[in-house]
Amino acid sequence: MRCLVINLDRSPERLIHIGSQFSTLGLNFERVAAVDGRELDDAVLAMQPASKQWKRMNKAEIACFMSHRACWAIIAEGSDAYGAVIEDDVFFSPSATHALSSSDWIPAEVGLLKIETFRQKVFLSRARVLADAGRSIHALRGCHVGTGGYVISRDYAKRLLELSEGAFPCPVDHFMFDDEVPRPEECRIHQLYPAVCIQGMLLDSADPAHGSTIRKPAAATVRVKPK
């Protein structure tokens, strides 16, 4: 299974960090150059349709969406059944080695599997798609923000590319992991429990170097709640 790491050209220290994380796991990864919001012109802001449900995204958030789409395209065009997409500020648990070294353990019905935690309570189905070696896979109910780490099938990557062609309705983490975002019935979301990675900004001992390059954690939820 290919492991793709999203990294900005202007963030070499993050590449060193994630490289050490993969080295500890004994795994290889491929770097995908992130789209830099600072280099985008204002025209990209029109890629988000007007909406009463979502606040306007900034160029950094749109660049983040574009970076993930670049990874989906690589996976969709590849020969592997699944690929992993990792952001460069994550920390792994030791069990991530087994989770990322192969996709053989993933049931065929799972197209999108979130493998990170955002340190928030989320709703999962009681039924387990998989229960093996101290971990389980459940259908995700509700919203679980963050795109620090996930595994996606080749077919699901193609579907997300189709659904986001030419327009990004909301931040990419909501687009992928929020059940209030309309999607076809076959596009079901799953969660690995327990998770095997976390973004550095969410750790109690977080280094400033691992802070978000997009937005502050307090602004993570951008859905507008109707009165």
Side-chain angles (χ1 to χ4, degrees):
M1 179 167 63
R2 300 172 73 175
C3 295
L4 307 179
V5 169
I6 298 174
N7 171 251
L8 281 166
D9 289 343
R10 57 182 166 85
S11 298
E13 73 288 348
R14 288 176 177 246
L15 185 60
I16 293 173
H17 159 74
I18 198 65
S20 68
Q21 290 289 305
F22 271 93
S23 178
T24 299
L25 296 179
L27 298 175
N28 297 319
F29 69 91
E30 301 172 44
R31 177 182 179 270
V32 176
V35 178
D36 195 335
R38 295 180 182 178
E39 299 179 359
L40 298 177
D41 58 38
D42 292 341
V44 300
L45 298 176
M47 298 186 77
Q48 182 184 11
S51 171
K52 294 182 179 180
Q53 185 181 15
W54 301 98
K55 292 181 180 179
R56 300 299 300 178
M57 288 189 285
N58 58 41
K59 286 190 282 189
E61 290 171 313
I62 292 175
C64 180
F65 205 129
M66 296 170 72
S67 300
H68 281 272
R69 284 193 94 248
C71 292
W72 304 341
I74 292 172
I75 294 170
E77 295 167 4
S79 58
D80 291 352
Y82 288 86
V85 179
I86 308 295
E87 293 183 348
D88 60 8
D89 66 330
V90 305
F91 288 79
F92 292 116
S93 73
S95 60
T97 298
H98 186 271
L100 295 175
S101 59
S102 169
S103 63
D104 294 344
W105 61 278
I106 303 176
E109 66 187 273
V110 176
L112 177 60
L113 178 63
K114 189 178 179 74
I115 63 172
E116 73 167 318
T117 175
F118 213 74
R119 298 189 72 173
Q120 67 182 64
K121 291 183 178 180
V122 297
F123 291 98
L124 306 176
S125 66
R126 289 184 180 274
R128 295 178 292 185
V129 178
L130 171 76
D132 175 60
R135 64 185 169 196
S136 55
I137 292 177
H138 303 258
L140 180 63
R141 310 297 188 194
C143 178
H144 190 185
V145 295
T147 48
Y150 58 89
V151 174
I152 186 170
S153 73
R154 184 172 58 240
D155 290 341
Y156 204 108
K158 293 177 182 178
R159 199 72 177 96
L160 289 187
L161 286 170
E162 293 172 357
L163 293 173
S164 59
E165 182 65 36
F168 309 150
C170 57
V172 67
D173 53 347
H174 287 270
F175 179 75
M176 298 182 71
F177 301 112
D178 190 336
D179 69 344
E180 289 198 18
V181 176
R183 59 174 51 84
E185 177 62 29
E186 70 272 16
C187 293
R188 289 176 291 177
I189 316 164
H190 292 83
Q191 172 74 46
L192 179 64
Y193 179 82
V196 297
C197 65
I198 186 172
Q199 290 180 281
M201 66 179 181
L202 299 173
L203 296 175
D204 295 332
S205 57
D207 187 308
H210 296 123
S212 174
T213 58
I214 302 174
R215 59 182 181 242
K216 296 179 180 179
T221 300
V222 295
R223 187 190 303 134
V224 177
K225 292 292 186 180
K227 293 182 180 180

